[in-house]
């Protein structure tokens, strides 16, 4: 699979940009702040309907505009598909597939498959659990696009249940009406949560050998990498407090993957009942996939807090490569390869990791790379170069660029904020 054409309207620093893209290796080169990342961010958004740089859509819309539009045309084998996503500031996002009537944006998820490497990936190892949960869910949707409904359904129910808990906490007492209503929402949360949890557990098992393989390929093999799903849904009543003051489970996901969906649902309900008192005290749901984590291990110790800077990079890269290997394994049809995007990664890596990563990704059908200077690019990835300048692209035939009048900060990376799912009082992020 490869991207053949990309068009941006009101997206980040681009008022309008239209450019052809080719299979093979393409390097977008230009100084920091000119818009290289904006281009590959748009391609990644078409695949996952989310940005790797910010947690909300509003920063993606050019300053002063009401909407941004990303259009892409993709080639898979002999088939061409066009997808248009409209990102709205004050309304639901919409999508068009092959110029059809507008549909829900999530209906376009997974048509384009990408694997994106970026400096933000260090947060997968060093950051809060929300980033690791999002990693799992993004891979899940890439494999099975219809699974996006699992997360959306769970988030909807979780929001309603949290609202009930907050109202009970604000009232200072828990009435019989609250109790019966919460029982109903427990059932809804357990049913939606069990489906999402089951999908994540299966995915973790699928990713595990690929993470082990990728980490070994990127390093000298002196340490082994591993992953494990840590679930708040368990038969254990114990919770510990994490660094941010949120409740985290002691139990892991071991054994949960062997349970049928009805059994997992019943276990979920039992966990909710055990922790109901704590939830009422805090006014937030403490049990469910929005509280879970993906444990990353090097040898017998957690990577977070124990890995060196180089080991942290290798683990982050191994997670991305594992998703690439799994996508290849699950879809061996012609054109099934995902597009690989490496956003300003090589400037962060030492020579050994640069060389090893480049050798692994170079054979892909399409590799898109951004770099401030060409010297950062390993020899294996010295392909076609496109020079990005303020407001557009310079020297590429057939490109129509009209810059947007936006603040210079539109190109800069932005903080995604706190992990609200792990801190009391915030909106839960699944």
């Amino acid at each position: 699979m490869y991207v053949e054409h990309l068009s941006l309207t009101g997206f980040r620093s681009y008022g309008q940009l239209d450019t052809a893209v080719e299979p093979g290796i393409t390097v977008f080169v230009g100084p920091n702040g000119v818009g290289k990342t904006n281009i590959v961010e748009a391609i990644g958004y078409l695949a996952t309907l989310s940005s790797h740089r910010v947690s909300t859509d509003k920063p993606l819309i050019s300053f002063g505009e009401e909407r941004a539009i990303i259009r892409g045309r993709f080639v898979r084998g002999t088939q061409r598909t066009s997808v248009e996503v409209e990102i709205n500031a004050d309304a639901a996002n919409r999508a068009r597939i092959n110029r059809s009537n507008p549909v829900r944006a999530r209906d376009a998820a997974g048509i384009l498959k990408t694997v994106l490497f970026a400096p933000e990936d260090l947060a997968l190892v060093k950051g809060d659990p929300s980033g690791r949960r999002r990693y799992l869910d993004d891979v899940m949707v890439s494999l099975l696009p219809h699974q996006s409904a699992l997360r959306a359904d769970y988030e909807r129910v979780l929001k309603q249940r949290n609202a009930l808990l907050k109202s009970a906490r604000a009232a200072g007492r828990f009435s019989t009406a609250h109790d019966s209503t919460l029982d109903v929402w427990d059932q809804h949360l357990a049913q939606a949560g069990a489906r999402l949890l089951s999908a994540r557990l299966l995915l973790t098992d699928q990713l595990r050998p690929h993470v082990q393989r990728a980490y070994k390929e990127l390093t000298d093999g002196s340490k082994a990498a591993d992953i494990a799903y840590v679930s708040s849904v368990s038969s254990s009543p114990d919770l510990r407090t994490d660094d941010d003051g949120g409740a985290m489970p002691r139990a892991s996901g071991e054994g949960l993957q062997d349970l049928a969906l009805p059994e997992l649902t019943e276990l979920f309900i039992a966990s909710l009942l055990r922790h109901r008192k704590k939830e009422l005290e805090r006014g937030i749901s403490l049990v469910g996939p929005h509280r879970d984590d993906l444990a990353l291990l090097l040898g017998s110790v957690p990577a977070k807090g124990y890995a060196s800077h180089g080991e942290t990079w290798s683990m982050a890269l191994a997670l991305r490569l594992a998703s690439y290997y799994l996508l290849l394994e699950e879809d061996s049809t012609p054109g099934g390869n995902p597009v690989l995007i490496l956003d300003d990664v090589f400037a962060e890596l030492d020579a050994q990791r640069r060389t090893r990563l480049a050798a692994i990704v170079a054979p892909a059908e399409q590799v898109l790379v951004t770099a401030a200077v060409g010297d950062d690019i390993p020899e294996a990835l010295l392909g076609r170069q496109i020079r990005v300048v303020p407001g557009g692209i310079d020297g590429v035939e057939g490109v129509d660029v009209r810059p947007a009048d936006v603040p210079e900060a539109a190109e800069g990376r932005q903080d995604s904020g706190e992990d609200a799912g792990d801190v009391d009082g915030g909106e839960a992020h699944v």
Side-chain angles (χ1 to χ4, degrees), residues 129 240-248 291 419 422-423:
R240 61 179 172 81
T241 300
D242 65 15
D243 294 339
D244 297 315
M248 289 293 294
R291 309 293 296 190
D419 177 16
D422 295 318
V423 182

Side-chain angles (χ1 to χ4, degrees), residues 7 58 70 95 132 173 191 315 371:
S7 173
K58 189 174 181 180
I70 310 172
R132 293 181 285 276
R173 60 187 180 85
Q191 290 169 0
M315 177 60 84

Side-chain angles (χ1 to χ4, degrees), residues 296-422:
L296 310 178
L297 305 171
L298 287 179
S300 59
V301 301
K304 183 177 181 179
Y306 290 89
S308 68
H309 184 69
E311 289 171 338
T312 300
W313 258 115
S314 293
M315 177 60 84
L317 294 172
L319 290 172
R320 293 301 183 194
L321 283 172
S323 65
Y324 174 57
Y325 290 151
L326 181 57
L327 287 169
L328 291 178
E329 180 180 83
E330 295 296 309
D331 188 351
S332 58
T333 58
N337 291 16
V339 176
L340 295 185
I341 301 173
L342 294 93
D343 178 26
D344 203 22
V345 168
F346 292 108
E348 306 285 340
L349 302 179
D350 57 39
Q352 184 183 64
R353 287 179 177 83
R354 285 186 188 183
T355 301
R356 288 180 174 176
L357 178 60
I360 293 170
V361 304
E365 186 170 4
Q366 186 175 56
V367 184
L368 305 177
V369 185
T370 70
V373 293
D375 291 345
D376 288 340
I377 305 301
E379 186 175 350
L381 294 178
L382 291 179
R384 176 187 184 229
Q385 289 198 4
I386 296 177
R387 181 156 296 280
V388 182
V389 297
I393 291 174
D394 181 41
V396 180
E397 185 177 353
V399 175
D400 173 27
V401 179
R402 295 190 297 275
D405 182 16
V406 297
E408 189 173 321
E411 161 61 10
R413 300 180 185 278
Q414 301 192 33
D415 209 339
S416 61
E418 292 182 328
D419 177 16
D422 295 318

Side-chain angles (χ1 to χ4, degrees), residues 128-344:
D128 295 325
S130 63
R132 293 181 285 276
R133 293 194 295 264
R134 177 179 171 180
Y135 162 77
L136 287 175
D137 292 343
D138 284 348
V139 177
M140 180 174 66
V141 173
S142 293
L143 283 169
L144 299 168
H146 69 273
Q147 298 281 49
S148 63
L150 292 182
R151 185 169 57 184
D153 291 345
Y154 182 76
E155 288 174 340
R156 176 181 53 80
V157 176
L158 179 64
K159 184 177 180 180
Q160 294 290 335
R161 188 175 187 272
N162 279 345
L164 177 63
L165 290 169
K166 288 176 183 177
S167 68
R169 183 189 185 193
R173 60 187 180 85
F174 193 61
S175 66
T176 303
H178 279 131
D179 193 46
S180 59
T181 305
L182 190 55
D183 285 341
V184 173
W185 283 110
D186 282 1
Q187 290 284 341
H188 291 318
L189 190 74
Q191 290 169 0
R195 291 192 294 269
L196 179 58
L197 175 57
S198 179
R200 285 184 182 174
L201 289 166
L202 174 61
L203 178 60
T204 301
D205 282 348
Q206 292 175 305
L207 283 168
R208 188 181 180 197
H210 296 300
V211 171
Q212 295 168 338
R213 167 193 169 187
Y215 190 85
K216 186 175 181 180
E217 291 174 337
L218 290 164
T219 65
D220 59 9
S222 60
K223 290 185 179 180
D226 205 353
I227 60 173
Y229 193 84
V230 182
S231 177
S232 55
V233 177
S234 72
S235 57
S236 169
D238 295 330
L239 290 177
R240 61 179 172 81
T241 300
D242 65 15
D243 294 339
D244 297 315
M248 289 293 294
R250 294 184 184 277
S252 73
E254 186 176 354
L256 294 180
Q257 67 270 24
D258 298 326
L259 298 180
L261 203 56
E263 296 173 301
L264 201 56
T265 302
E266 289 302 314
L267 187 62
F268 200 132
I269 292 172
S271 294
L272 289 171
L273 289 174
R274 277 198 307 274
H275 300 299
R276 178 171 287 190
K277 182 179 179 181
K278 290 181 182 292
E279 291 184 330
L280 289 169
E281 290 172 353
R282 301 186 186 186
I284 194 169
S285 300
L286 297 175
V287 176
H290 66 290
R291 309 293 296 190
D292 294 352
D293 199 358
L294 181 68
L296 310 178
L297 305 171
L298 287 179
S300 59
V301 301
K304 183 177 181 179
Y306 290 89
S308 68
H309 184 69
E311 289 171 338
T312 300
W313 258 115
S314 293
M315 177 60 84
L317 294 172
L319 290 172
R320 293 301 183 194
L321 283 172
S323 65
Y324 174 57
Y325 290 151
L326 181 57
L327 287 169
L328 291 178
E329 180 180 83
E330 295 296 309
D331 188 351
S332 58
T333 58
N337 291 16
V339 176
L340 295 185
I341 301 173
L342 294 93
D343 178 26
D344 203 22

